[in-house]
Amino acid sequence: MKHYTREELDCYRNGDMNLFSRIICSEHLKFCRSCHKLLDSLKEDDALLDELRGKLDRLKQAAGEANKLNRFPENDC
Amino acid sequence: MAFTTRKSLLAKIREGDEISWDEFYSAYRPLILLRGQDFALKPTEKEDLVQIVMSEIFKGSREFLYDRSKGRFRDYIKKIISNQIARILRKRINQEVPLCDNDFSQINVLEQAWREEWRAHLMKMAMSELKDYVEPATYQAFILYGLHRKTSAEAAKFLDISVNAVYIAKNRCMELLKKIISDLEAEL
Ligand SMILES: [Zn+2]
């Protein structure tokens, strides 16, 4: 039995597969635990990417706000 | 093996090499600012905090060498940041400036916030490390598709590669990133 690669499953879940391949993949996933596990791990990667985006934005924002204030000194009046 | 010959901050800490002021400043400034934010420090106080933490760490030298006998680096820097925040807050009391709501009374909340901030810092460091480990095109594909949420087709078109190559790049980078984050967690 041929299993799917991570990239093939990425194509599948992102709609980059043609209809015929998509149906076959969908059927395969119904009974193949190994490919299903791989698909789940891609979803976990998505969650890590979400976290990464959020965390990097927070750091960037903290540094950005400070830089902005350095350029335009605070008016204490 | 690293793709570039530039030695990463992690490698320097790991191998006991000296770290320059500039390198440390750019890596740690956002983390220190975020911690200052937890205590609702004013912008000028946050900048002061960065400067005094840096001075405390470098002690007048342009290079910093971490002594591992001091324990984990994350605990060492957290202690320095906390001490300096306490000093700023004490100065406020002396000046009769009221403390904000986010003072030291909310220990659990502050601990949780620190863990989140430290993780954010590790992720930032991991991204910088990752850049050294993969080819520029791979990194770019990862940034476009993984971080900037471009579609695989858009990233592929922009970089003139196949959609499959975008996914290969993303998966390669994710695999490395997870490994680097776990190394950083263990090392720092
Ligand atoms: Zn399978």
Side-chain angles (χ1 to χ4, degrees):
Chain A
M1 180 172 63
K2 178 199 168 285
H3 294 291
Y4 286 90
T5 63
R6 295 183 82 84
E7 289 72 32
E8 285 167 337
L9 289 176
D10 264 332
C11 282
Y12 166 75
R13 70 199 189 117
N14 289 324
D16 292 325
M17 254 181 192
N18 64 44
L19 185 63
F20 181 67
S21 303
R22 192 176 159 74
I23 291 167
I24 292 177
C25 184
S26 182
E27 286 303 311
H28 180 90
L29 283 166
K30 277 180 192 164
F31 68 83
C32 179
R33 283 183 66 184
S34 154
C35 286
H36 213 280
K37 216 170 142 188
L38 199 55
L39 188 63
D40 286 343
S41 81
L42 287 171
K43 288 175 190 164
E44 281 167 22
D45 283 355
D46 289 346
L48 182 63
L49 276 173
D50 280 342
E51 188 194 359
L52 184 65
R53 274 188 291 268
K55 295 263 196 297
L56 293 182
D57 278 352
R58 232 188 125 203
L59 286 170
K60 214 164 140 186
Q61 205 181 358
E65 275 168 17
N67 290 343
K68 213 158 58 189
L69 287 156
N70 279 346
R71 278 200 300 275
F72 303 103
E74 208 186 4
N75 186 352
D76 287 328
C77 302
Chain B
M1 198 179 73
F3 189 71
T4 67
T5 52
R6 186 180 78 90
K7 207 166 186 179
S8 71
L9 195 59
L10 171 66
K12 286 180 183 173
I13 291 174
R14 183 186 282 150
E15 288 159 32
D17 289 5
E18 290 186 330
I19 299 161
S20 75
W21 173 285
D22 292 345
E23 196 174 8
F24 196 94
Y25 180 84
S26 75
Y28 282 86
R29 181 172 173 266
L31 174 71
I32 302 168
L33 288 169
L34 264 187
R35 193 56 175 164
Q37 210 164 285
D38 290 341
F39 291 84
L41 296 190
K42 290 185 278 186
T44 48
E45 289 174 327
K46 279 192 275 184
E47 279 304 335
D48 285 350
L49 177 67
V50 174
Q51 292 305 323
I52 49 182
V53 166
M54 289 294 293
S55 305
E56 187 66 22
I57 287 170
F58 281 78
K59 298 191 190 301
S61 167
R62 292 300 297 174
E63 306 277 335
F64 161 69
L65 188 64
Y66 184 61
D67 174 6
R68 280 178 169 266
S69 68
K70 286 176 183 163
R72 297 194 78 171
F73 187 72
R74 74 179 68 177
D75 297 329
Y76 166 76
I77 192 159
K78 183 189 173 199
K79 194 174 166 191
I80 291 180
I81 297 172
S82 302
N83 287 345
Q84 297 310 324
I85 289 175
R87 203 179 67 87
I88 290 172
L89 294 177
R90 271 198 304 271
K91 206 164 116 188
R92 274 199 201 174
I93 297 171
N94 293 340
Q95 292 168 351
E96 296 183 352
V97 177
L99 292 176
C100 55
D101 291 338
N102 295 10
D103 59 24
F104 285 112
S105 60
Q106 298 168 304
I107 298 292
N108 290 340
V109 178
L110 289 170
E111 269 307 304
Q112 178 61 29
W114 168 257
R115 281 196 290 275
E116 294 280 323
E117 285 148 10
W118 181 254
R119 172 124 173 119
H121 170 71
L122 288 191
M123 286 184 146
K124 180 174 170 272
M125 282 183 84
M127 283 300 290
S128 154
E129 186 108 346
L130 174 70
K131 202 175 180 178
D132 291 345
Y133 274 81
V134 293
E135 291 191 35
T138 304
Y139 186 76
Q140 238 181 324
F142 176 63
I143 293 291
L144 285 175
Y145 174 74
L147 278 191
H148 294 174
R149 291 177 177 275
K150 298 283 175 208
T151 65
S152 50
E154 285 167 341
K157 194 178 170 195
F158 185 81
L159 296 169
D160 196 22
I161 56 177
S162 68
V163 163
N164 196 52
V166 171
Y167 290 138
I168 289 173
K170 187 267 294 181
N171 289 326
R172 166 92 183 116
C173 288
M174 283 309 288
E175 186 193 351
L176 274 168
L177 195 68
K178 284 187 270 188
K179 168 86 176 69
I180 296 169
I181 292 172
S182 131
D183 284 354
L184 285 167
E185 285 276 5
E187 296 277 343
L188 293 178

